[in-house]
């Protein structure tokens, strides 16, 4: 996976995050209201976004690499979010999915479009059997998104996350290759 896998949809380009994306990524990750669901404290400095881009890039050098795509709008070339597959367990053919979207792009179906491309790539190129998602129980938009893509609710992980100074329950979802093929 040395070459970055660029994906294209009708409205989006899923591409490598680069240093010049730091301000846009900072704007997304600095949104305290949105970050209450993300699993990390909101960013307070653009240098944190620069470090995050470097972390995402380093995933490809790991023995079980992950991929984090920048989601770029084709209509105006703006970076509007990111999504990715990580915690890849090759032996088990599993990984986790993560994503976030700028507030201005929410409610437009763009994340469904981006994740559909990412999930296709994961089941195809990565030969995954299962993709997992952990979602905060109060994140209604993300719950709707996951269910709409065919993810199945499998349980609740009590106080599995810790951010913004408190523990959070997370709902566990799974999507099997056979679920995706039927969807």
């Amino acid at each position: 996976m040395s070459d970055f896998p660029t994906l294209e949809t009708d409205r989006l380009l899923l591409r490598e995050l680069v240093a010049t994306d730091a301000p846009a990524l900072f704007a997304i990750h600095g949104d305290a209201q949105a970050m209450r669901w993300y699993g990390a404290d909101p960013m307070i400095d653009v240098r944190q976004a620069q470090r995050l881009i470097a972390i995402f890039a380093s995933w490809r050098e790991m023995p079980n690499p992950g991929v984090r795509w920048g989601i770029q709008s084709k209509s105006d070339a703006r970076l509007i979010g990111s999504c990715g597959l990580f915690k890849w367990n090759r032996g088990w053919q599993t990984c986790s999915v993560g994503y976030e979207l700028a507030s201005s792009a929410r409610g437009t179906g763009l994340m469904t479009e981006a994740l559909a491309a990412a999930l296709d790539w994961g089941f195809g190129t990565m030969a995954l059997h299962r993709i997992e998602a952990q979602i905060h129980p109060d994140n209604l938009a993300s719950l709707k998104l996951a269910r709409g893509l065919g993810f199945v609710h499998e349980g609740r992980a009590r106080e599995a996350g810790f951010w913004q100074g408190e523990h959070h329950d997370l709902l566990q979802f799974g999507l099997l290759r056979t679920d995706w093929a039927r969807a």
Side-chain angles (χ1 to χ4, degrees):
M1 282 182 34
S2 57
D3 292 331
F4 193 86
T6 300
L7 308 177
E8 193 169 338
T9 71
D10 288 344
R11 298 181 289 170
L12 302 171
L13 182 66
L14 277 65
R15 54 146 176 95
E16 186 170 16
L17 286 161
V18 294
T20 55
D21 291 324
L25 198 62
F26 172 65
I28 295 166
H29 284 257
D31 179 349
Q33 184 69 6
M35 293 306 290
R36 72 189 189 278
W37 311 125
Y38 187 71
D41 292 345
M43 290 182 179
I44 56 172
D45 187 293
V46 72
R47 288 175 296 198
Q48 291 173 291
Q50 293 165 339
R51 284 192 294 273
L52 187 59
I53 290 168
I55 289 168
F56 290 154
S58 76
W59 285 1
R60 294 194 316 277
E61 307 305 319
M62 295 177 170
N64 293 308
V67 177
R68 191 72 175 207
W69 289 276
I71 303 171
Q72 179 179 309
S73 168
K74 284 184 178 177
S75 66
D76 60 11
R78 281 185 316 123
L79 182 77
I80 58 170
S82 79
C83 66
L85 301 170
F86 61 101
K87 294 184 183 175
W88 186 11
N89 183 326
R90 287 179 192 255
W92 288 11
Q93 300 171 319
T94 63
C95 76
S96 294
V97 64
Y99 45 88
E100 80 284 334
L101 200 58
S103 59
S104 62
R106 292 186 199 130
T108 60
L110 290 170
M111 188 54 78
T112 299
E113 190 174 321
L115 286 180
L119 296 171
D120 271 342
W121 190 85
F123 286 121
T125 304
M126 293 172 74
L128 295 170
H129 174 72
R130 173 184 170 85
I131 298 175
E132 299 177 346
Q134 290 189 315
I135 303 170
H136 192 284
D138 295 332
N139 188 346
L140 302 181
S142 191
L143 293 170
K144 180 180 176 185
L145 171 68
R147 288 182 175 119
L149 288 166
F151 281 84
V152 175
H153 179 231
E154 299 174 333
R156 184 182 203 103
R158 296 177 308 129
E159 298 186 4
F162 183 81
W163 66 91
Q164 295 187 1
E166 58 184 89
H167 293 277
H168 299 270
D169 288 0
L170 296 171
L171 300 181
Q172 179 68 39
F173 285 81
L175 179 68
L176 304 180
R177 174 191 295 275
T178 51
D179 300 333
W180 185 243
R182 281 193 300 268

